[in-house]
Amino acid sequence: MPDFRYLDGEFHCESVPFRKIAEAVGTPCYVYSHARLVRQFRSFDAAFKDVPHITAYAIKANSNIAVLRLLAQEGAGADIVSGGELYRALQAGLMPQRIVFAGVGKTDEEIGYALHSDILMFNVESPAELLAIDRVAGELKTHARVALRINPDIDPKTHPYISTGLKKSKFGISAERAVDEFKLATTLKNIEIVGVHKHIGSQLMHVSPYVESLKKILDLVEQLKGIGVEIRYLNVGGGLGITYQDEIPPQPEDLAQAISPLLKDLKCVLIFEPGRSIVGNAGVLLIKVLYQQANPDKTFLIVDAAMNDLIRPSLYGAYHEIKPVQEAREKAKRKVLVDVVGPVCESGDFLAKDRMMPLGDPGDLLAVMSAGAYGFSMASNYNSRLRIPEVLVRDREIHVIRAREEYPDLIRGETIPAFLK
Ligand SMILES: *Cc1c(COP(=O)(O)O)cnc(C)c1O
């Protein structure tokens, strides 16, 4: 069964018409397909079944605890980048022994929380951080397992905002300095070196940067053997791209085929950190047309979702396909050049620019496709807009996995000081 398709004239998620979801929870809302989530995870995990590995789902892509629970039940681990994500992971039932912690700015509190939780390892991004982890571990009378994140200086050929493996980026330790940093790590009492980590970027469309960077990392693993450091975990990061428009991204099997010859004699557990490729195509942002506005130069379709709900178009100029929920609209011959914009008071507030689309009427429902990754997880309350619900569809069932916020949620934690009372 396709996860998103037209059936009896209406666009469906699994066996539920989007119209029904709009009736049940209102718009805008995020809608995720259970079947698609499961399938994406399984196909990724199965591609590497011949090598010992952990598929550590990158929580930042979509961090709803129902999604995390579902992936935990499928055997996922987690890649986290904050104490908040660790909290979510533990609440959702992800096993600490499968959690890895990345990020350039871990605080003492976050390091302590992760040590208390006995996570698998820290992916360390700088020498200063290494010293901090050693110190906090000492204070807590424990030791920390770490991997050093290496910046292999490989161009992943993706959007600059989501490139992370170039020399000029803030992530990781340069390949030239890596051996010295590992040497430093061996002198620290509360540090146990267990791995090497890399992550070169996101929405990758080719496996070659993966392969090249892996070769660099494998050279390093050899060098490390020379100085008596045995690497047990090799973390190759995330980054596989998905289809937003007509891109043809590499599949997990392509990646497996490309890298497995390099791994033949390696006695390491591999760690993967896929985010977008697991959840991206499993989610849709369901929105409603509010108004049409035709200016002399341009036609605008004003909808009820905005950049605060889905920031990717504004932030990266990202493309998201937009499908009318009524099939008759989809099939309409007449298409018009429109900008699909939200109510936020910013010119950068758009979901689509210069798009040829059938012109919708007020009240029409639209599905913004491929919104499962970096959608809700990047949402904000800008313009004091309520954050929208998330819905998990499982065959015929509609499960609200995050309620729509209400006005009191907006001011929770705010206070008016006494002198103003
Ligand atoms: C963001 C991130 C990922 C996930 O990237 P995707 O492109 O969503 O697969 C994995 N690892 C690290 C360290 C990240 O920062």
Side-chain angles (χ1 to χ4, degrees):
M1 178 190 61
D3 323 295
F4 300 106
R5 58 160 169 187
Y6 288 104
L7 188 68
D8 305 328
E10 288 189 286
F11 202 47
H12 281 59
C13 177
E14 301 196 16
S15 302
V16 181
F18 277 98
R19 175 184 45 80
K20 272 212 162 151
I21 300 171
E23 284 165 9
V25 285
T27 61
C29 66
Y30 278 100
V31 180
Y32 310 129
S33 157
H34 174 269
R36 184 65 180 261
L37 287 168
V38 170
R39 208 169 64 242
Q40 290 302 116
F41 181 82
R42 286 185 187 167
S43 80
F44 191 99
D45 205 48
F48 301 97
K49 62 181 185 311
D50 296 333
V51 283
H53 73 277
I54 297 173
T55 302
Y57 166 65
I59 286 188
K60 71 176 190 278
N62 183 324
S63 38
N64 184 288
I65 58 168
V67 172
L68 300 184
R69 170 65 61 91
L70 182 163
L71 295 175
Q73 287 183 351
E74 291 294 321
D79 164 42
I80 60 169
V81 294
S82 70
E85 286 191 350
L86 176 54
Y87 178 76
R88 282 182 175 279
L90 297 175
Q91 289 295 310
L94 281 154
M95 290 196 310
Q97 303 80 6
R98 299 170 81 77
I99 295 178
V100 296
F101 190 173
V104 296
K106 302 176 190 80
T107 64
D108 284 6
E109 291 73 23
E110 289 175 316
I111 293 166
Y113 180 26
L115 286 169
H116 264 302
S117 309
D118 201 22
I119 65 164
L120 178 57
M121 74 181 79
F122 295 87
N123 292 326
V124 176
E125 308 239 6
S126 67
E129 183 194 330
L130 192 58
L131 296 175
I133 293 174
D134 179 57
R135 174 174 47 75
V136 176
E139 284 161 15
L140 296 175
K141 303 202 169 17
T142 182
H143 75 284
R145 287 174 293 273
V146 304
L148 296 196
R149 178 172 183 173
I150 304 306
N151 181 334
D153 194 25
I154 298 282
D155 187 352
K157 305 202 166 54
T158 183
H159 192 286
Y161 287 9
I162 49 176
S163 294
T164 55
L166 279 169
K167 257 187 192 158
K168 62 183 180 196
S169 92
K170 70 178 176 185
F171 300 98
I173 296 160
S174 72
E176 300 91 71
R177 289 207 350 249
V179 173
D180 284 342
E181 298 310 336
F182 272 96
K183 276 186 189 152
L184 166 68
T186 59
T187 66
L188 300 174
K189 246 188 22 244
N190 310 305
I191 294 286
E192 181 191 355
I193 304 169
V194 295
V196 182
H197 174 230
K198 68 142 181 102
H199 170 72
I200 55 175
S202 200
Q203 186 55 9
L204 306 188
M205 279 297 138
H206 306 280
V207 291
S208 52
Y210 241 109
V211 173
E212 279 177 65
S213 57
L214 184 57
K215 280 184 185 156
K216 282 202 173 180
I217 299 292
L218 289 171
D219 285 347
L220 175 64
V221 171
E222 274 308 304
Q223 274 179 281
L224 291 174
K225 250 190 212 152
I227 60 164
V229 176
E230 277 295 330
I231 295 302
R232 282 151 53 198
Y233 293 92
L234 193 62
N235 185 334
V236 297
L240 275 192
I242 63 167
T243 302
Y244 285 101
Q245 189 167 9
D246 47 18
E247 311 92 321
I248 303 175
Q251 296 303 302
E253 306 79 61
D254 303 325
L255 181 59
Q257 256 187 8
I259 66 174
S260 59
L262 299 176
L263 303 171
K264 261 198 220 108
D265 307 319
L266 200 71
K267 293 193 176 42
C268 274
V269 175
L270 281 182
I271 300 177
F272 299 95
E273 302 173 329
R276 189 189 311 268
S277 61
I278 305 292
V279 292
N281 288 136
V284 160
L285 172 62
L286 179 62
I287 63 177
K288 190 171 73 184
V289 176
L290 296 177
Y291 305 102
Q292 288 174 11
Q293 175 165 338
N295 291 352
D297 288 350
K298 197 121 212 192
T299 300
F300 293 97
L301 219 47
I302 300 169
V303 298
D304 60 357
M307 64 188 290
N308 70 296
D309 303 305
L310 177 65
I311 203 174
R312 299 189 67 261
S314 306
L315 187 60
Y316 312 120
Y319 180 99
H320 284 267
E321 197 182 345
I322 300 183
K323 284 181 162 304
V325 164
Q326 293 166 270
E327 191 170 20
R329 280 257 187 260
E330 167 79 355
K331 292 201 165 135
K333 292 257 160 24
R334 202 174 97 79
K335 296 208 161 69
V336 196
L337 195 68
V338 300
D339 279 8
V340 180
V341 302
V344 160
C345 305
E346 300 270 349
S347 301
D349 177 29
F350 60 89
L351 298 178
K353 265 222 145 92
D354 295 326
R355 188 74 58 88
M356 284 304 283
M357 280 181 43
L359 194 56
D361 287 322
D364 275 9
L365 297 173
L366 303 172
V368 182
M369 304 302 293
S370 309
Y374 307 105
F376 188 90
S377 66
M378 292 179 101
S380 78
N381 289 113
Y382 187 42
N383 273 209
S384 285
R385 289 168 54 80
L386 301 172
R387 282 188 302 167
I388 66 179
E390 294 174 284
V391 174
L392 182 65
V393 170
R394 180 166 167 265
D395 190 20
R396 284 168 205 292
E397 303 159 14
I398 299 176
H399 301 273
V400 177
I401 56 173
R402 189 180 216 278
R404 189 181 303 281
E405 287 183 339
E406 297 179 358
Y407 289 137
D409 294 325
L410 290 175
I411 56 169
R412 195 152 59 102
E414 295 180 23
T415 43
I416 298 170
F419 78 91
L420 290 174
K421 281 180 185 156

